[in-house]
Amino acid sequence: MNEAEIKRLQAEAAQAEAEAAAAKAAAAKAQLEAALAAAGSPTPAEPTAPASGSEQTDALSPSEAPAPAPASEPEAAPISNYAQKVADGYTYEGLTFTLGSYMENGTPVPSVPVKLPLAMLNRHGLVAGATGTGKTRTLQLFAESLSNAGVPVFITDIKGDLTGLLEPGPSSEKLLARTAANGQPWEPKSFPTELYTLGGNGNGTPIRTSVTDFGPLLLAKVLGLNETQESALSLIFHWADQNGLALIDLGDLRDVIQYLTSDAGKEQLSGIGGVASATAGVILREVAALQAQGADSFFGEPAFSVKEFMRTATDGRGVISSLELPDVGSQPALFSTFIMWLLAELFQELPEVGDAEKPKLVFFFDEAHLLFTDASKEFLAQVVQTVRLIRSKGVGIFFVTQTPKDVPADVLAQLGAKVQHALRAHTPQDAAALKETVKTFPITPELDLEALLPSLGTGEAIVTVLDPKGRPSPVAPTKIWAPASVMGVGSNAAVAGALAASPTMAKYKDAVDPESATELLAQRIEAEAKAKADAEAAAKAEAEAQKEMERRARELEKQAEADRKAAEKEAERARREAEKEAERSKRRRESVVDSIVGTVGRTVGREILRSIFGTRRK
């Protein structure tokens, strides 16, 4: 048996002894009270129990040195030098809440509470540990304590066991003995909790947003597009916006892309570059892959406002917004898409607040390894950028996972608080992970973290945080306080009551299907088809009219040619007739002349003969 196992058994034995002693004391006290009551004697005075808002008072009041014990009680046992170092390191000015009690040799030391300064929670944090070590209960305690302090909280309920926040936790003798041994003034309490789902798949107010509101840049990162494809997607969004086509869901986006790459729509973008068919094909394939992981349920209307997560209850406590994600393991893209949108919306909506007294909102992402599994470089870069910058908006982010290596190094470097539950070292890989985890804590010669981490029991953790000056606090083995609400699934009645009383359910419950790009494009295509048909009909009619005109022209031309030929023929006939008439006239003239000449000749001849022969009459 190795040293770590021996220490673990020693710690469990010490814990059992402490719980048994506390239970025995409680039983003896109950017997004394019963005896006094039977004898008619007054019950001995006790220190005043905390009121129903005791945890809230602890969280909202500046931390102070532990109050002096009543004179009737023995003084607290002296503590070790390192315990004193922890006590000093976790004493702050300003608002705090208690995470648990320092543990020494496996035994809690109630006089050394481990407190966290609210002002430093916007420096983010990590809650890690093997399965079954109490991470979810630590998350629940964080949520309760912050709610008591008036800080709104957002949590992802992956396993569905955080609805217990709606109901006060059941009390038991064992629980009271354990909390008493841990210095916790425990009392059952419920908390103001709003239940949410992505797109309405489950019990809760649906969270949706439109593709237009999501925007091309963020969507390009979700789809893992390169610069050329991202530019094309931005061009598509711009064209849709310019043409009044609302992109409500992914179906609208798909229809717009298909239209702009069709014969009917290619000309729409020709003046500003257009979208290549290959680029459009890549985008369409990535959109289809996103749809296959359930993203259709997230995109729609009415669009959710992230300001709903910033509410406080009427009693001043922060509202805990619990998002149910029961099937996130098979839908990691949907989870990461939602987270990117949520952080981007908060960064855009919230004003700069600098270093405030307490955060405006704190996020807890359970099973964070699902967020980063197979994540694209663009997604990781977006998360790193948001984690770095969003703290100035007064927002804290905590990742809850099994080992620190589940969180990318660039993100891990931004996390100021660490709550590390037990890590097991059953395999060489586990042992290597344990060594790497130890390296993430401040060097602490007083503690053998490599031996201590595997020996931690359920509900125990190694804690370090940043103090108000940004310095890491001493590494503190801590016995975590118990949540005040039900540590598990809430009853059906409690869930139904919360849904019925939810102010957001009436606003966002029913999905609406407004006239969007799909319908408008269908109308546009129909109108274009009708216009094309009308144009074709008009062109056909014009062609027929032109054909008829050409036919008539040809007939007229033929008629004109016939008339011309007839006229020429008539002219030729008339010419020939005229020539004949002229010939006849000529012959007649020649005949008359001949006749005259003949007559004249004969007359002249006779006269000449008469003259010659003297036969002329005198």
Side-chain angles (χ1 to χ4, degrees):
M1 183 177 295
N2 58 33
E3 183 181 354
E5 184 66 15
I6 292 173
K7 286 187 176 181
R8 185 183 67 79
L9 293 174
Q10 288 176 341
E12 290 180 354
Q15 175 67 19
E17 289 177 2
E19 291 181 355
K24 184 176 180 180
K29 182 178 177 182
Q31 289 177 354
L32 173 60
E33 291 176 352
L36 291 173
S41 302
T43 303
E46 298 179 359
T48 304
S52 61
S54 60
E55 288 192 33
Q56 182 176 359
T57 303
D58 176 71
L60 293 174
S61 302
S63 58
E64 301 174 353
S72 59
E73 297 183 2
E75 293 183 1
I79 59 177
S80 67
N81 291 336
Y82 189 70
Q84 186 60 54
K85 180 180 179 180
V86 171
D88 295 339
Y90 288 88
T91 300
Y92 311 106
E93 295 180 357
L95 304 181
T96 65
F97 72 87
T98 301
L99 184 63
S101 297
Y102 169 70
M103 287 196 314
E104 196 159 62
N105 298 322
T107 303
V109 182
S111 61
V112 185
V114 176
K115 296 189 176 185
L116 274 65
L118 290 179
M120 299 303 290
L121 291 185
N122 66 339
R123 304 298 177 91
H124 317 308
L126 174 73
V127 179
T131 301
T133 56
K135 299 188 302 295
T136 303
R137 300 288 75 87
T138 299
L139 185 161
Q140 187 172 347
L141 177 67
F142 263 98
E144 292 179 355
S145 302
L146 289 168
S147 177
N148 282 331
V151 178
V153 177
F154 178 91
I155 57 178
T156 55
D157 188 4
I158 305 297
K159 298 182 289 292
D161 56 357
L162 287 170
T163 52
L165 287 161
L166 293 165
E167 298 180 285
S171 179
S172 69
E173 185 176 311
K174 181 179 179 180
L175 175 64
L176 292 175
R178 181 161 63 86
T179 56
N182 203 18
Q184 179 182 4
W186 186 90
E187 63 176 8
K189 187 188 295 185
S190 62
F191 292 84
T193 304
E194 280 282 348
L195 305 178
Y196 292 97
T197 64
L198 286 184
N201 297 325
N203 290 321
T205 299
I207 296 177
R208 306 182 186 90
T209 191
S210 68
V211 173
T212 296
D213 289 342
F214 198 83
L217 300 182
L218 196 57
L219 185 58
K221 289 179 171 59
V222 170
L223 299 177
L225 305 181
N226 61 31
E227 291 185 4
T228 301
Q229 294 154 359
E230 179 180 337
S231 176
L233 187 63
S234 298
L235 191 63
I236 292 167
F237 270 72
H238 173 74
W239 180 86
D241 184 59
Q242 292 296 106
N243 286 269
L245 301 177
L247 302 176
I248 303 301
D249 53 32
L250 292 175
D252 291 329
L253 177 61
R254 184 187 62 246
D255 290 342
V256 168
I257 295 173
Q258 290 175 340
Y259 172 74
L260 291 176
T261 54
S262 67
D263 293 337
K266 281 182 179 178
E267 295 299 320
Q268 298 292 330
L269 298 180
S270 60
I272 49 178
V275 176
S277 298
T279 300
V282 172
I283 298 174
L284 287 172
R285 285 194 296 273
E286 295 300 330
V287 168
L290 190 61
Q291 287 179 299
Q293 293 203 32
D296 275 330
S297 62
F298 174 56
F299 289 104
E301 285 197 342
F304 188 82
S305 171
V306 294
K307 292 181 180 179
E308 302 289 355
F309 297 143
M310 313 292 293
R311 296 186 295 114
T312 55
T314 55
D315 60 3
R317 291 186 295 171
V319 172
I320 300 172
S321 300
S322 176
L323 175 65
E324 179 182 322
L325 291 168
D327 196 27
V328 70
S330 62
Q331 299 175 322
L334 175 60
F335 187 26
S336 60
T337 298
F338 164 72
I339 297 303
M340 289 182 70
W341 166 79
L342 180 57
L343 296 179
E345 282 289 297
L346 285 170
F347 189 79
Q348 181 178 349
E349 292 287 336
L350 297 180
E352 296 281 341
V353 296
D355 294 325
E357 184 181 38
K358 61 184 179 181
K360 298 177 71 67
L361 178 67
V362 178
F363 283 91
F364 292 89
F365 296 126
D366 198 6
E367 304 294 340
H369 64 279
L370 297 174
L371 185 62
F372 300 109
T373 299
D374 298 326
S376 64
K377 292 181 180 179
E378 293 78 10
F379 173 74
L380 294 178
Q382 183 77 11
V383 172
V384 170
Q385 180 184 19
T386 303
V387 170
R388 284 175 177 168
L389 300 178
I390 205 168
R391 75 177 187 87
S392 64
K393 306 280 188 173
V395 176
I397 301 174
F398 278 70
F399 297 99
V400 184
T401 188
Q402 295 188 5
T403 67
K405 70 176 184 179
D406 293 334
V407 180
D410 288 343
V411 177
L412 193 62
Q414 307 299 318
L415 309 182
K418 293 184 180 68
V419 180
Q420 179 66 60
H421 287 267
L423 283 178
R424 310 307 180 200
H426 300 306
T427 67
Q429 290 80 5
D430 291 341
L434 175 60
K435 291 180 181 292
E436 293 299 318
T437 299
V438 170
K439 293 178 183 178
T440 65
F441 285 88
I443 297 174
T444 308
E446 296 90 342
L447 299 174
D448 184 359
L449 293 180
E450 196 168 335
L452 183 57
L453 276 172
S455 66
L456 293 173
T458 302
E460 300 173 354
I462 303 297
V463 178
T464 182
V465 299
L466 293 180
D467 68 15
K469 293 185 179 180
R471 301 169 301 190
S473 65
V475 177
T478 304
K479 185 72 173 179
I480 306 297
W481 277 11
S485 56
V486 170
M487 290 184 278
V489 180
S491 66
N492 292 335
V495 171
L499 296 178
S502 170
T504 61
M505 181 62 79
K507 189 185 301 185
Y508 299 106
K509 177 184 177 182
D510 297 322
V512 297
D513 187 16
E515 190 175 54
S516 60
T518 295
E519 291 78 17
L520 293 174
L521 273 179
Q523 295 174 12
R524 182 174 187 149
I525 292 172
E526 182 181 356
E528 289 178 349
K530 184 177 183 301
K532 183 179 179 181
D534 291 344
E536 289 177 350
K540 184 178 180 180
E542 184 178 354
E544 291 179 351
Q546 182 68 24
K547 186 177 180 180
E548 177 65 19
M549 289 177 62
E550 290 176 354
R551 185 187 64 78
R552 293 183 62 187
R554 287 194 299 270
E555 289 181 352
L556 290 173
E557 186 177 350
K558 288 180 180 180
Q559 183 65 38
E561 181 67 16
D563 292 345
R564 183 182 66 78
K565 289 182 178 180
E568 288 180 351
K569 186 175 181 181
E570 180 64 24
E572 180 65 20
R573 187 190 63 77
R575 184 183 63 76
R576 288 196 300 270
E577 188 66 30
E579 288 179 350
K580 289 179 180 180
E581 182 63 29
E583 183 67 24
R584 286 194 296 269
S585 298
K586 181 179 178 182
R587 285 197 297 269
R588 285 195 297 269
R589 287 193 300 273
E590 289 178 349
S591 176
V592 172
V593 171
D594 290 343
S595 176
I596 294 173
V597 170
T599 302
V600 171
R602 285 193 299 271
T603 302
V604 172
R606 282 196 303 269
E607 289 296 325
I608 293 173
L609 290 175
R610 289 175 180 169
S611 172
I612 294 173
F613 294 105
T615 58
R616 182 178 179 187
R617 293 177 181 175
K618 298 186 181 179

